[in-house]
Amino acid sequence: QEVRMMMNEKRNKAVATPRPYTTPIYINYRSTMKIAALACLVASASAFAPTTPSAASMNTAIQSSATEFDGMIGVSNEVGNKFFDPVGLSQWAPAEHLRKAELSNGRSAMLATVGWVFPKFYTFASDDVTTTDPIEAILQADAQWWAQFIIFCGTIEAVKYRGELEGKSFTGDGPAVIDWTNTWDTLDEKQKEEMRLKELKNGRLAMIGLAGFVANYFIPGAVPIVP
């Protein structure tokens, strides 16, 4: 009985003794999930963000492009016998593609230069185009003419593409895709190289000349030597 009384007293003391107060911690699981989701989005976005190339890597790319172009035809005295690319555009496309684009644009510019000057000396009878002004003539051209022009350009590109599939070339470094006079195969390697260089330089000159014609047309007096 005495033991039972002692146990009851200890139990009463334990119940009567106040427990120290502790501040409850509430976790907002919704806010935590939002923060975690935002962190995941930032991490995934940074994974796909383009990295800014360093100056050293840019210089290395330009130097490698210059090395690739140095052995090509066209690096001659007018550019100081060095590869000319002041803004580093060559690092964004292979040399072969840029050479094809340069030749295609040069050939188009040569034809356009002739078309710009020729009507000043001779014109054909026409009902729809009644002016020798190059820009106005383009705007006066009938829709049927534009359709024929687009079909003609597409045909030329198709012939070039088929020729490349057959192992031919329209840049002069192989059998010619189009050779109206059948003289390309009769030339030796030195003559072919000279012909390629002449075409390339004439194309470059024509592109500069056509740009001068257009600039002087819209801004009279922009090119003093152009009437």
Side-chain angles (χ1 to χ4, degrees), residues 12-31:
N12 293 336
K13 288 182 179 181
V15 173
T17 302
R19 296 181 180 179
Y21 178 75
T22 57
T23 303
I25 300 176
Y26 297 97
I27 300 177
N28 192 333
Y29 290 99
R30 182 174 298 178
S31 298

Side-chain angles (χ1 to χ4, degrees), residues 5 145 189:
M5 292 177 62
W145 179 90
E189 293 302 321

Side-chain angles (χ1 to χ4, degrees), residues 54-67 91:
S54 62
S57 62
M58 291 285 286
N59 292 333
T60 302
I62 294 174
Q63 290 175 1
S64 62
S65 297
T67 303
Q91 62 180 311

Side-chain angles (χ1 to χ4, degrees), residues 5-7 14 40 65 74-75 78 81 92 98 118 120 130 139-140 144-145 152 163 184 207 221 223 225-226:
M5 292 177 62
M6 292 176 63
M7 293 293 293
C40 292
S65 297
V75 181
E78 69 270 14
N81 295 316
W92 306 111
L98 294 177
F118 187 79
K120 305 295 182 182
T130 59
L139 299 177
Q140 289 182 5
Q144 183 179 0
W145 179 90
F152 173 75
W184 181 254
M207 286 188 283
V223 183
I225 62 175
V226 178

Side-chain angles (χ1 to χ4, degrees), residues 130-195:
T130 59
T131 179
T132 58
D133 183 286
I135 303 301
E136 291 184 4
I138 293 174
L139 299 177
Q140 289 182 5
D142 188 79
Q144 183 179 0
W145 179 90
W146 280 108
Q148 294 174 354
F149 176 74
I150 294 174
I151 293 174
F152 173 75
C153 293
T155 302
I156 296 297
E157 292 299 318
V159 171
K160 290 162 55 178
Y161 178 72
R162 185 185 64 182
E164 285 193 312
L165 294 179
E166 296 174 351
K168 299 180 180 180
S169 171
F170 64 90
T171 58
D173 53 353
V177 173
I178 300 176
D179 184 11
W180 306 113
T181 58
N182 296 321
T183 57
W184 181 254
D185 292 334
T186 63
L187 303 177
D188 57 28
E189 293 302 321
K190 183 178 180 180
Q191 291 174 329
K192 288 181 179 180
E193 184 174 349
E194 291 178 354
M195 187 67 68

Side-chain angles (χ1 to χ4, degrees), residues 84-122:
F84 182 76
D85 186 18
V87 295
L89 296 178
S90 59
Q91 62 180 311
W92 306 111
E96 182 182 4
H97 174 78
L98 294 177
R99 174 48 52 86
K100 290 179 180 179
E102 182 181 24
L103 276 174
S104 297
N105 289 325
R107 291 164 180 169
S108 299
M110 286 189 281
L111 292 174
T113 301
V114 174
W116 190 285
V117 177
F118 187 79
K120 305 295 182 182
F121 302 96
Y122 183 81

